[in-house]
Structures are given as structure tokens and as C-alpha cells.
Amino acid sequence: MKTISENRCFGGTQGVYSHSSTSCNCDMTFGLFLPEESAYGPVPVLWFLSGLTCTHENVMTKAGAQAWAAEHGIALVFPDTSPRGEDVPDDNAYDLGQGAGFYIDATQAPWAQHFKMWTYIAEELPGLLGDSFPLDMERQSICGHSMGGHGALTMAMALPGRFRSVSAFAPICNPTQSDWGRKQFTAYWGADESKWGPHDATLLMQGPGFDGPLLIDTGTDDQFGDLLGTEAFAAAMATKRQPGTLRLQKGYDHSYFFIATFMEDHVAFHADALYT
């Protein structure tokens, strides 16, 4: 593992690291904020999965999450959104290829060799983090934005017992019924929808749901609102009798200004679960 940078931040350290990924067959980069408490022992972990076109850096520099994580003594993990590099396939569209991994494992050419983001986030990166940093991997929670909200919700439900809480900002909730989902699933998995797997938060909510606290914020002025499937997910929550909170925030859009506004709420929400 290579240290790209380490900076003092709210009493702790904001680092950026890279490593050779066996699941993605390329070098991967991630950010990690360690609070001051990590100098004295392992601390709980909050994952943040970012959205389309983002890298590890967007939320790390724009959301102000470190201030609130430092207050609660929580580590923050900021993974990249896809494999990258000259040998990694890409597409001219912003919503496919590099920057658009959708947190799934591709099976179709040319994507299958590198685009294994589910395995990377669910298996490889947690193992690396647990071996390399003072993190309590028995206490994990997960959050995400947009495409990353899709990843956070699906991982929380499909990996029971892994995460103590889950939250999302403007998540893609019903990708099998949205242009943000059907396009990527077809490319990465092929046209046979029976092979798309349980990677739709609405369908997962109709099944196992989530055994823990859940929080979602979506802006009423989100410019991508028709692609998110918020209503379908809310209906699935109601039918399931899923404990949780879904808030429609008046006047907010899809931007990082929206995320920064409510980040304190989300970190405190996860802190309650991580320290219970």
C-alpha cells in the first residue's frame, strides 16, 4: 500500500492511499479519516460511497464530514467509485464505465476483468483496512449519495449483520426500473434480467429489509428526481413496516451543498448505532 498524502485534520489524520487491487485488477485509491481516538485503540467505521462521476475525493473535500466524525470518534472511509487506468475500459457517457461502477460485479465484456466493485467494497477493502489501520471492523455503518446511496442500501440489506445502520442522500432506490440502472445493468450483466441479481434497494426492501436504523434525505428540487425511485422505495418501506426515516428536504437539489447541509445529522445518526 502506498501513502499518497496524510494531513492533520480536526485533531486526527485525513489520509489518501493506493494499493494494487486483486478484485479490480488495477491500482485503487481510497481516502481514510482517522480521529484522534485511533491513536489509543480501534475506532468504529463509517463508509461513504460516492455517486456517478465522483472519485474518493469529492465527499472527502466537500461535505465537511471529518468535523462531525472527529466529534464522535468515528473513522470515515471514502472509496473510489470504479476501477481506473489506461487499461481499464471506459465509455464516452458519464454514467457508464470509469466513475460509474454501480457497486456491482460485472460479468460481461469488456467490463468483467476490472469492474468488480461489489467484491472490492464488500470483501477486499475491508480486509485491507482491518489489517492496516486501528479500526474496529465489528462496528461498521454505511452511507452513500446517489449511485453510492444505491450501493449503501443494497449492501446493508444483502450483507445482514455487517452494518449497524445505513443512510443515504438522494439514493437510486429502484435501478431496475430506471434509466440510471437499466443501462448499466444491461452493459455490466447482459440483457437477461434474470441474471441481474439482488441489487435493487426496493426489491431488497420487499424481501429481507434491513435489521437496523435507516435514514434517507432527498431534496424536493433534485434535478434527477425522476431517476431515483424514491416513491417506490417509500412504498416498499411502508409495506415491509421497515423502521426508518425518509425525509424530503424542501428546496434542496442533488449537489454537495445538499450533502454538506445534512451531513452532521447523518454522522450523529450513525454514531448512535455504532456506540450502542
Side-chain angles (χ1 to χ4, degrees):
M1 187 168 58
K2 177 182 177 181
T3 299
I4 296 175
S5 63
E6 288 184 332
N7 298 97
R8 190 75 168 157
C9 182
F10 292 101
T13 301
Q14 176 60 64
V16 178
Y17 309 92
S18 67
H19 68 107
S20 177
S21 167
T22 56
S23 52
C24 294
N25 290 302
C26 65
D27 287 344
M28 295 292 289
T29 301
F30 65 91
L32 174 66
F33 170 73
L34 289 172
E36 186 175 9
E37 289 83 351
S38 66
Y40 307 101
V43 294
V45 181
L46 175 58
W47 295 76
F48 192 100
L49 306 185
S50 290
L52 287 166
T53 75
C54 292
T55 69
H56 68 282
E57 189 174 19
N58 295 70
V59 70
M60 186 180 80
T61 59
K62 294 180 179 180
Q66 294 91 338
W68 313 120
E71 182 176 309
H72 295 285
I74 294 171
L76 298 170
V77 181
F78 307 113
D80 203 347
T81 55
S82 78
R84 299 181 191 273
E86 293 182 3
D87 297 331
V88 176
D90 200 5
D91 190 271
N92 290 329
Y94 76 95
D95 57 354
L96 187 66
Q98 295 187 34
F102 260 78
Y103 304 100
I104 62 176
D105 284 356
T107 61
Q108 301 295 303
W111 313 105
Q113 182 180 358
H114 297 283
F115 280 70
K116 303 291 186 182
M117 288 301 293
W118 181 274
T119 297
Y120 178 69
I121 299 294
E123 299 177 15
E124 183 179 0
L125 188 53
L128 176 67
L129 292 171
D131 290 341
S132 305
F133 298 97
L135 302 175
D136 183 353
M137 303 306 286
E138 297 299 316
R139 291 187 291 166
Q140 298 184 62
S141 291
I142 192 166
C143 180
H145 171 230
S146 193
M147 177 185 73
H150 143 76
L153 291 172
T154 55
M155 286 190 173
M157 286 186 275
L159 300 171
R162 172 73 65 88
F163 301 107
R164 295 194 179 187
S165 53
V166 60
S167 74
F169 297 90
I172 300 172
C173 297
N174 198 191
T176 60
Q177 302 303 314
S178 168
D179 289 344
W180 270 1
R182 296 190 63 83
K183 172 183 177 179
Q184 293 82 5
F185 288 4
T186 299
Y188 296 148
W189 283 332
D192 184 353
E193 295 185 26
S194 68
K195 298 180 180 179
W196 284 6
H199 289 275
D200 183 305
T202 296
L203 300 181
L204 286 166
M205 182 56 68
Q206 292 170 356
F210 179 63
D211 185 19
L214 180 155
L215 170 65
I216 292 175
D217 278 318
T218 297
T220 60
D221 288 3
D222 193 305
Q223 58 269 48
F224 304 109
D226 292 343
L227 297 169
L228 300 180
T230 307
E231 295 82 0
F233 189 75
M237 282 184 66
T239 300
K240 184 71 177 179
R241 301 287 187 177
Q242 168 73 42
T245 302
L246 196 162
R247 307 187 299 192
L248 297 178
Q249 300 291 1
K250 185 174 176 59
Y252 285 90
D253 58 17
H254 203 72
S255 70
Y256 274 89
F257 297 110
F258 159 60
I259 297 173
T261 301
F262 298 102
M263 180 59 77
E264 180 182 7
D265 290 357
H266 282 244
V267 175
F269 165 79
H270 290 295
D272 286 343
L274 289 166
Y275 280 105
T276 297

